[in-house]
Amino acid sequence: MKLIRYEYPQSPSVSAFNRLFDLGAPTVERFGSLFDDFFAGADQPAVDLYEDVDNFYARLELPGVKKDAVDVELENSILTVSSVVASESKDAAKQYRFSRSITVPEGVAFDKVDASLTDGVLTVTLPKAEARKPRQIEIK
Amino acid sequence: MSTLESQTIQKPDAETKARHWRRPHYNVVESAEAFEISVSVPGVNRSGIDISVDGDVLTLEASRGEAPNGWKALRRELPQGDYRLALKLNVPINESAIKAQVTDGILGLTLPKSEEVKPRKIKVS
């Protein structure tokens, strides 16, 4: 089995602390919001990371966030998804921001990264570079 | 202010054991005419939502489908399972006029109050 390095987000915020509670128990409801209620600030949404033969996929749940409001950035193999969400109701305008960074697995073709937002779920497709894909080698 | 109370309903049938449920975040706003509920159901499209009213309990179930075939999870932080929310209605609502629509992973529910609880102006003659 190949191990892929996965690092915690770059900003050492409270949410990273929250995430300590998630370790080893991904199916249990997050404790996270408990602490977020006490410490206001940029929220860090949870990320799922998947792999198939051709791509890596990072998935985030961003309910109610419009496509234009999301900022996806890739720099030095760190993928950052951030947004400022403004919601207006009759008597109050609210705004909240979130940002999440993950270290992209090795061997990603950076120029072909793609992102789509459907039904409130953002999927970032990180294609593997040709050299990293499994190859069948012909015997001559 | 919300006059709806959330309630966890335990149904010890086989189906609940087989599926994982997760309670979605929701918000309730009351107006003179109706209750507006918005529920966060990321990953759910229109066909995956099931809303039912049984007596004074409104039950919402929403399935978000599995990750596509061949995807191997390297790390999972998001809670798994489908959404289920049961709300106890302590104000009579007009069940036949419930409206629901889902956009960008937010389900908007409009529960019109039934006529007898709507505020009424009484003219002094």
Side-chain angles (χ1 to χ4, degrees), chain A residues 48-49 51 61 66 100 119, chain B residues 43 64 72 74 77 104:
Chain A
D48 274 357
L49 195 63
E51 176 190 26
E61 291 187 342
K66 292 270 175 287
R100 179 73 201 266
D119 297 327
Chain B
R64 37 172 205 162
K72 198 175 78 189
L74 299 175
E77 292 176 358
D104 299 329

Side-chain angles (χ1 to χ4, degrees), chain A residues 74 104-114 125-130:
Chain A
L74 192 60
V104 166
E106 278 174 51
V108 166
F110 292 114
D111 48 339
K112 292 182 192 141
V113 173
D114 195 36
T125 308
L126 306 148
K128 292 180 188 174
E130 284 301 322

